[in-house]
Amino acid sequence: MDDIVRAAMAKWPNVPDCFGWLGLDARGNWYMRDDRAQALGPFPASKGSLLQHDKLIDFIHRNYAADEQGRWYFQNGPQRVYVELEATPWIWRLQPDGRVLSHTGAVVQVQDSLLDESGRLYLVADTGLGLVHTADVALAADVVESGHWTPRAVQANELPAQFGFVRHPQTQGH
């Protein structure tokens, strides 16, 4: 977490949390969901505006975390901006050299692989569960075919409870 964020949290400790305004899609893209986007329906049916400002995205990445209830958020100064997740809290990008990176750019260590009823591949890493980016499925297939990963069958709707994350934090009650 950025030092400036820690300082803002100490200075203004009672800023209310924000729900519904930020979404992470299944390809690792961030979406700002203004009142209009929220009124049009839940994420991801109504995504909102794709964030494209690199410095803002980097700031979100550095200050992205989960609370004790498994709700993922971006600590924006003194305010927690809870994230609507289309799929999982992490989106994995496979690299030609064998590394696996999170959508935030961090290198992770893969511990397990899972395949859901729709053929989506998930990896369990040292930082948690994530979905393999659709553009990296061919690389992932090579790893599976080589025997390095042996995906276990899972049901997508059971993943949040099994791995302790919340896709839609505003429905949790706050």
Side-chain angles (χ1 to χ4, degrees):
M1 189 175 297
D2 289 359
D3 289 339
I4 193 168
V5 170
R6 284 189 189 93
M9 291 168 59
K11 188 172 182 178
W12 299 289
N14 297 316
V15 174
D17 296 334
C18 180
F19 292 87
W21 286 80
L22 186 63
L24 178 68
D25 77 0
R27 295 178 62 85
N29 296 311
W30 295 102
Y31 287 85
M32 185 63 62
R33 304 184 69 245
D34 61 12
D35 285 330
R36 183 178 168 281
Q38 291 180 50
L40 290 173
F43 188 80
S46 174
K47 286 190 172 179
S49 302
L50 175 66
L51 291 183
Q52 298 182 44
H53 190 278
D54 290 337
K55 288 186 179 185
L56 174 58
I57 293 168
D58 289 344
F59 183 62
I60 292 171
H61 288 171
R62 290 192 312 272
N63 297 284
Y64 181 59
D67 69 12
E68 61 283 345
Q69 296 174 20
R71 301 177 304 174
W72 285 80
Y73 64 91
F74 153 54
Q75 189 71 48
N76 184 26
Q79 184 174 55
R80 282 187 178 179
V81 178
Y82 281 91
V83 177
E84 294 287 312
L85 302 172
E86 181 174 353
T88 58
W90 299 106
I91 305 301
W92 307 130
R93 297 306 314 259
L94 281 59
Q95 305 302 299
D97 64 6
R99 292 177 303 139
V100 176
L101 304 179
S102 71
H103 67 276
T104 65
V107 177
V108 299
Q109 301 304 312
V110 175
Q111 301 166 343
D112 199 4
S113 58
L114 311 168
L115 193 65
D116 76 9
E117 66 278 7
S118 297
R120 291 176 292 194
L121 181 65
Y122 303 84
L123 301 176
V124 180
D126 52 344
T127 56
L129 178 75
L131 177 65
V132 172
H133 192 288
T134 55
D136 299 337
V137 170
L139 283 172
D142 292 342
V143 178
V144 170
E145 287 177 10
S146 73
H148 285 93
W149 296 338
T150 306
R152 294 183 293 115
V154 295
Q155 295 295 309
N157 65 347
E158 295 174 2
L159 293 173
Q162 186 176 354
F163 289 93
F165 67 92
V166 176
R167 285 193 178 118
H168 305 289
Q170 75 276 12
T171 62
Q172 285 292 107
H174 48 275

